[in-house]
């Protein structure tokens, strides 16, 4: 059995930075509250809870004076203010790319632009960005979701960091005929697209792909969909323990890809399990082969 | 024979304003120099020359202290300065929509944006707009003409006033993936599209279309191309005298459309010629029928 790892794989810059920040805070303070799950990966959340993390879903559930962690998705200024009113100590894990999108939205709004946010209106990142807009804000998933008319001739556009550029471009193109001035900040972070491209690339050389990541992780689900669309046999596990031996037996060249919210220790555990299995069956192969240079 | 007139038809706002300004100057000063033909319509230029207009193609050919007319297409700041150095009296007929595009280009350039001008690089309007950019400027006819890379992450876009919005939208969409900030001023004037739509609409109800306008007029040529693409028999004349009687005999419902640079007196002369012909042949019909309300 040959095993190949997608590259890039697992934690993106913003998530790694946020989790590192959280771990430092847990070491420093022993107990840290997070508003919403700090990462869409249940095994990683369980590990962090063992270190002292308390996940709550409302500011009201945070004790006065507690240490509160802001996850990579960020918070709106209003949510931040609500935390501060409880005299909490904020540990800010907001991804710098998300902070930039928030700043751009606030700037555009301050300059009198109506603000279009391209993204999923229910995503916490988008709710945080929207919260930075003082004037009119429109959250649209794509060009078809644009309102028929805008009350202002000045429209600013920002984007959820995980969106795809063709979708942003389509929204912008649809706006052009209706506006006098359009100011677009491309706040997309390349990490999502890079992980998706890595799966597409890997799919050409393997006969099965294991995607490892939280079942509640949108970016992991997307990797699964991409692998499936490439007509490769795909299995999606949150933990390597879930791997089905019969599924593994069917494949001789396996690819491994992890969502941006999958920690290294889970990827390592998976690779290790595959390596053990390979040697116990006396098969040839190699683990963790890197893709050919220049492919990404 | 029935005759229908496109609506809108003939002079656009900017050309009418420029020619009115020029006529006033000719009345006031007797002799006025124009840098480049003031309008792409030879019969109209001949009429204006009879009133005292002198068309020259280089600043060097303008006598010191002369009265100089700036046509609707505008001039670049450098050309303006060259005129001023000859102590001329400038009569500015620049279309306000062109002035706005020039101002936007200058503003973007001043704010550190690379400037993309969507338009025809050889058109005097575009040369004037480009001349307002101090930093980098790229003139592109469409998305395929964009350079592969931009040296700056800040790109501003303005547009030749007679461009089509889908082309501007396509250029903007193509820029989105490559830039950090994109600032678009939609400087398109609706007059061109409205005249083109009027020809498309009229083509459904007539069996022949007479386009009247200068053979050197790009916007008139475009009306001809649109009429031809609608599978209607088309004839293009600069002067009604050129009309071919045998061509007229073949048609029972005729449409008349004029470019944005065709003066009213030429349209009136054409309608009058068709009316005379109709009555001399004892045919039923009406002249100058307006399109159904709400169609434009």
């Amino acid at each position: 059995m040959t095993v190949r790892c997608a590259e890039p794989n697992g934690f993106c810059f913003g998530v790694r930075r946020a989790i590192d920040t959280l771990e430092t805070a847990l070491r420093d303070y022993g107990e840290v509250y997070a508003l919403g799950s700090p990462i869409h990966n249940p095994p990683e959340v369980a590990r962090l809870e063992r270190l002292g993390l308390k996940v709550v879903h409302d500011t009201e559930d945070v004790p006065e004076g507690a240490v509160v962690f802001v996850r990579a998705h960020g918070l709106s200024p209003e949510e931040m203010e609500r935390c501060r009113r409880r005299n909490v100590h904020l540990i800010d894990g907001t991804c710098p790319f998300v902070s930039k999108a928030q700043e751009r939205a606030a700037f555009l709004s301050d300059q009198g632009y109506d603000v279009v946010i391209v993204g999923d209106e229910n995503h916490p990142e988008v709710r945080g960005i929207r919260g930075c807009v003082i004037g009119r804000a429109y959250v649209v998933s794509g060009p078809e979701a644009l309102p028929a008319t805008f009350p202002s001739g000045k429209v600013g556009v920002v984007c959820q960091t995980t969106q795809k550029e063709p979708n942003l471009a389509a929204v912008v193109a649809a706006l052009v005929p209706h506006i006098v001035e359009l100011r677009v900040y491309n706040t997309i972070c390349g990490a999502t697209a890079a992980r998706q491209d890595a799966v597409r690339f890997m799919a050409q050389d393997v006969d099965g792909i294991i995607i490892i990541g939280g079942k509640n992780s949108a970016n992991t689900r997307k990797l699964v969909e991409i692998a499936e669309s490439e007509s490769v046999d795909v299995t999606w596990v949150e933990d390597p323990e879930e791997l089905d031996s019969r599924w593994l037996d069917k494949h001789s060249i396996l690819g491994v890809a992890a969502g941006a919210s999958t920690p290294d220790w889970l990827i390592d555990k998976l690779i290790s399990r595959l390596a053990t299995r390979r040697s116990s069956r006396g098969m040839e192969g190699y683990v963790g082969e890197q893709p050919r240079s220049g492919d990404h």
Side-chain angles (χ1 to χ4, degrees), chain A:
Chain A
M1 184 199 292
T2 301
V3 178
R4 295 185 176 185
C5 277
E7 177 57 39
N9 207 21
F11 275 5
C12 63
F13 164 76
V15 169
R16 188 176 303 279
R17 181 177 168 281
I19 297 300
D20 285 352
T21 303
L22 174 56
E23 284 197 276
T24 303
L26 285 165
R27 270 199 302 275
D28 290 350
Y29 300 100
E31 186 181 75
V32 176
Y33 284 79
L35 272 172
S37 183
I39 185 165
H40 287 148
N41 189 281
E44 176 69 351
V45 172
R47 183 186 73 86
L48 293 164
E49 282 174 337
R50 286 192 297 273
L51 298 176
L53 175 72
K54 310 276 179 200
V55 179
V56 294
H57 295 281
D58 197 297
T59 330
E60 300 300 309
D61 299 326
V62 176
E64 288 269 338
V67 178
V68 174
F69 171 72
V70 178
R71 60 186 169 181
H73 298 325
L75 286 179
S76 69
E78 192 193 332
E79 290 168 311
M80 284 279 201
E81 184 51 34
R82 240 186 290 148
C83 288
R84 285 198 192 92
R85 280 203 298 269
R86 297 185 78 79
N87 297 314
V88 302
H89 177 53
L90 279 178
I91 303 285
D92 193 356
T94 308
C95 168
F97 294 109
V98 175
S99 295
K100 187 58 84 179
Q102 291 185 342
E103 285 162 22
R104 299 304 200 190
F107 170 78
L108 287 167
S109 159
D110 184 60
Q111 297 285 309
Y113 295 82
D114 288 348
V115 180
V116 171
I117 302 159
V118 183
D120 169 5
E121 63 178 340
N122 297 315
H123 196 283
E125 178 192 323
V126 173
R127 288 204 304 270
I129 297 170
R130 184 178 186 144
C132 296
V133 178
I134 296 152
R136 287 191 195 90
Y138 306 83
V139 178
V140 299
S141 54
E144 66 291 343
L146 282 168
T149 52
F150 283 98
S152 151
K154 279 175 75 177
V155 175
V157 181
V158 297
C159 200
Q160 185 178 359
T161 57
T162 52
Q163 284 282 305
K164 288 179 178 169
E165 271 156 347
N167 192 42
L168 172 61
V171 169
V172 167
L175 283 167
V176 162
H178 304 292
I179 53 85
V180 174
E181 185 191 343
L182 184 63
R183 195 160 179 180
V184 183
Y185 287 105
N186 183 344
T187 52
I188 292 174
C189 159
T192 305
R195 277 155 188 72
Q196 294 174 1
D197 288 345
V199 168
R200 264 185 217 99
F201 168 72
M202 191 171 66
Q204 312 311 312
D205 293 328
V206 299
D207 59 7
I209 291 185
I210 305 166
I211 306 278
I212 181 161
K215 293 288 168 82
N216 57 344
S217 157
N219 78 77
T220 304
R221 177 178 301 279
K222 190 69 203 170
L223 296 185
V224 173
E225 287 168 6
I226 286 168
E228 284 171 348
S229 73
E230 296 289 332
S231 304
V232 175
D233 199 15
V234 185
T235 188
W236 177 5
V237 296
E238 230 171 54
D239 191 289
E241 306 295 337
E242 299 164 23
L243 273 177
D244 180 347
S245 293
R246 284 164 303 178
W247 187 89
L248 289 175
D249 286 344
K250 287 192 291 181
H251 303 287
S252 58
I253 309 178
L254 274 176
V256 168
S261 46
T262 306
D264 289 347
W265 66 268
L266 273 173
I267 305 172
D268 291 345
K269 188 176 166 187
L270 171 62
I271 300 288
S272 171
R273 168 134 192 239
L274 293 173
T276 310
R277 181 181 168 79
R278 184 197 57 186
S279 61
S280 72
R281 289 166 54 97
M283 288 179 73
E284 289 300 311
Y286 51 95
V287 171
E289 183 199 10
Q290 292 301 304
R292 283 160 285 186
S293 67
D295 288 318
H296 297 291

